[in-house]
Amino acid sequence: MLPDRLDFPQGFTFGAATSAYQIEGTAGAGPSHWDTFAATPGNIIDASNGSRACDHLTRWPEDLDLVRDAGFDAYRFSTSWARVMPDGVTVNPDGLDFYDTLVDGMLERGLRPFLTYHHWDLPAALADRGGWQNRDIAARFADLCITINARIGDRVASAATLNEPWCIAWLSHFLGHHAPGLRDIRAASRAMHHVLLAHGTAIQALRAQGADNLGIVLNFETAHPADDTPEAARAAGTQDAIYNQWFIRAVMGQGYPQAALQGIGPHLPEGWQDDMALIAQPLDWLGVNYYTRRLYTGNEGLWPHASEAPGPLPKTQITRTQMDWEIRPEGLTEFLTRLARDHTGTLPLYVTENGMALEAGGGTGAAITEDPRRVQFAGDHLRATLAAIEQGVDVRGFFYWSLLDNYEWGWGYGPRFGLVHVDYDTMTRTPKSSWHAFRAMLKG
Ligand code: PNW
């Protein structure tokens, strides 16, 4: 069961979230480093890519109807860098037109547009010039943001610079699971800094243009020791520093955490300390993505491995999702209260992503529309959000990930996160019971 809408503060925003590369299809966009990564055998478990995805590029009116008809107030989407600037620099007018039309489509349906400027589809031309390892990425990214803001900024309700810089930097350059697929501490360390420099530079440029309601979306994952050895405690601590503290501390002006700086510091670009003030731009809100907890033994090597490489999908279990991610709603309450206490103070927080992968029919052979476990999951995490609000944390909204089943990066099209089922042959959209549950909650 989902909680009652009236349990939430007045004006609390309910939304559904997606990202460009995962749903649009790449027709009309320039090549991105995700196309390159996906074309390399072994990187994507089903060897798929985002070339067609959910064909949102042509089916967006139907998709926005689904957001509206569920009763959501808002829609979180991202702009594709490779669509707006196919070579990373030159503006593609058709790309901007698409987002202009899309935003108008949201407004026509009474939906508030929550924009994310970048959700991982970096133009291949920029990747070829070093991508996030190259300091120049900060200026390039700021240019992207002001170009988009100049066109649609008058109509978006709120904008985030980046989605999940941990994934952009560490998962992609050290763990090698996302584009560009590197396993290199120097590349990773530079990306860990440049991604933040890009954020700060973009916020400053957007403010100069008059933009407001600006934030960033960070991901948080509980890191606990697997046992009571000192090795496990140390590994969980290192992991927490690199995943849950590095970015929030930097953007809040608290400096990089010592436990991560020990290993990363020697590889950071020279003079990085001079960038910290620019990185700590005042923000209007923080986006919190939360999914799971992982346990650490200390046997993971120099750096604890935060993420398993994509592998065969286990059957969804009661306590774990189709991704084999542990279901632990109290972790969301813990992060929201911890963030307010240790980092963000009174800054408004939004849960910008939370959701679960579940095979069609919930793994039980039931109809593809039956996903009672997702209803349970969403209800438990909404109640976990309420618990943080009751403890005084200013949480302003909750966005379910995701509106649609879509391209789950290295996992391809296997995991299904959607409130709406997508048949990848016919592209037919079918609302699941979770979509109906949100509709019942939101429309009363
Ligand atoms: C987030 N990890 O990704 C993204 O914002 C979405 O694009 C994605 O579909 C969603 O969560 C579900 O996975 C993550 O390995 C991907 O720790 C991987 C990790 C974390 C977040």
Side-chain angles (χ1 to χ4, degrees):
M1 275 288 284
L2 300 185
D4 196 315
R5 178 166 204 163
L6 296 174
D7 295 343
F8 289 85
Q10 263 235 308
F12 190 88
T13 299
F14 290 93
T18 63
S19 87
Y21 191 78
Q22 293 177 274
I23 65 166
E24 286 180 0
T26 54
S32 81
H33 74 168
W34 261 93
D35 300 328
T36 320
F37 183 73
T40 310
N43 283 341
I44 313 295
I45 189 164
D46 60 5
S48 64
N49 59 39
S51 62
R52 190 160 177 238
C54 303
D55 190 27
H56 175 73
L57 202 53
T58 62
R59 289 165 205 264
W60 63 265
E62 182 185 353
D63 294 339
L64 294 186
D65 286 350
L66 286 162
V67 184
R68 176 200 57 202
D69 293 345
F72 287 116
D73 316 302
Y75 177 56
R76 175 171 177 247
F77 70 109
S78 78
T79 41
S80 160
W81 195 336
R83 180 177 301 291
V84 174
M85 297 178 174
D87 65 0
V89 189
T90 318
V91 175
N92 164 28
D94 291 348
L96 281 179
D97 286 350
F98 174 68
Y99 295 112
D100 192 89
T101 309
L102 190 66
V103 164
D104 280 345
M106 293 176 216
L107 297 181
E108 279 159 21
R109 290 166 180 79
L111 298 169
R112 296 168 61 218
F114 275 59
L115 163 66
T116 302
Y117 282 108
H118 180 63
H119 197 130
W120 309 353
D121 36 18
L122 183 72
L126 295 182
D128 292 346
R129 285 191 261 146
W132 296 101
Q133 296 178 66
N134 183 343
R135 184 178 177 87
D136 184 51
I137 197 76
R140 299 276 62 78
F141 178 63
D143 193 38
L144 172 80
C145 294
I146 60 174
T147 301
I148 294 170
N149 180 59
R151 183 67 183 270
I152 62 173
D154 58 333
R155 283 157 289 151
V156 302
S158 123
T161 51
L162 299 164
N163 179 72
E164 302 189 345
W166 179 85
C167 290
I168 295 173
W170 197 254
L171 188 65
S172 308
H173 296 80
F174 186 74
L175 297 175
H177 296 327
H178 279 188
L182 300 180
R183 291 188 169 82
D184 176 343
I185 184 65
R186 184 169 180 276
S189 301
R190 298 174 69 82
M192 290 288 274
H193 184 68
H194 290 148
V195 72
L196 284 159
L197 184 65
H199 159 79
T201 308
I203 293 278
Q204 199 174 52
L206 286 165
R207 296 265 189 231
Q209 241 186 356
D212 67 1
N213 269 326
L214 302 176
I216 184 170
V217 172
L218 303 181
N219 49 325
F220 298 93
E221 187 176 283
T222 305
H224 281 167
D227 53 46
D228 48 21
T229 61
E231 292 76 27
R234 193 175 319 116
T238 305
Q239 174 61 19
D240 186 70
I242 205 165
Y243 199 119
N244 299 318
Q245 294 183 43
W246 182 268
F247 304 97
I248 190 62
R249 287 187 59 96
V251 300
M252 297 309 295
Q254 298 173 311
Y256 291 141
Q258 268 313 318
L261 206 47
Q262 275 172 17
I264 293 178
H267 307 285
L268 286 175
E270 215 175 304
W272 61 269
Q273 292 91 341
D274 300 337
D275 295 328
M276 297 311 278
L278 175 56
I279 288 170
Q281 295 295 310
L283 298 178
D284 302 303
W285 59 277
L286 173 74
V288 176
N289 292 357
Y290 170 77
Y291 288 94
T292 190
R293 168 176 83 156
R294 274 179 236 257
L295 304 177
Y296 297 88
T297 60
N299 300 327
E300 297 92 355
L302 177 61
W303 292 99
H305 285 246
S307 149
E308 307 293 322
L313 293 171
K315 272 228 168 227
T316 306
Q317 297 163 30
I318 297 297
T319 57
R320 306 184 82 83
T321 76
Q322 191 190 7
M323 305 284 285
D324 203 25
W325 292 356
E326 181 188 357
I327 299 173
R328 193 168 175 278
E330 60 267 42
L332 180 55
T333 315
E334 290 163 8
F335 272 118
L336 293 169
T337 51
R338 170 181 163 187
L339 282 165
R341 185 193 66 214
D342 293 349
H343 305 290
T344 56
T346 58
L347 189 71
L349 306 182
Y350 285 82
V351 177
T352 33
E353 279 181 34
N354 170 252
M356 82 179 291
L358 182 63
E359 52 274 63
T364 62
I368 55 169
T369 50
E370 290 302 311
D371 62 347
R373 286 182 195 174
R374 178 173 285 107
V375 178
Q376 182 73 43
F377 183 100
D380 289 345
H381 287 80
L382 283 166
R383 281 181 284 274
T385 305
L386 275 172
I389 294 171
E390 278 152 21
Q391 290 176 51
V393 184
D394 187 4
V395 190
R396 299 277 178 96
F398 182 100
F399 288 77
Y400 183 80
W401 181 274
S402 177
L403 173 68
L404 303 172
D405 292 342
N406 60 43
Y407 183 61
E408 182 51 30
W409 308 110
W411 299 83
Y413 291 98
R416 292 180 175 273
F417 276 89
L419 300 173
V420 174
H421 178 273
V422 176
D423 178 320
Y424 294 114
D425 293 323
T426 62
M427 290 293 153
T428 304
R429 277 76 163 135
T430 312
K432 304 179 191 175
S433 29
S434 53
W435 182 92
H436 289 282
F438 269 101
R439 181 182 162 99
M441 166 175 133
L442 296 170
K443 294 201 148 177

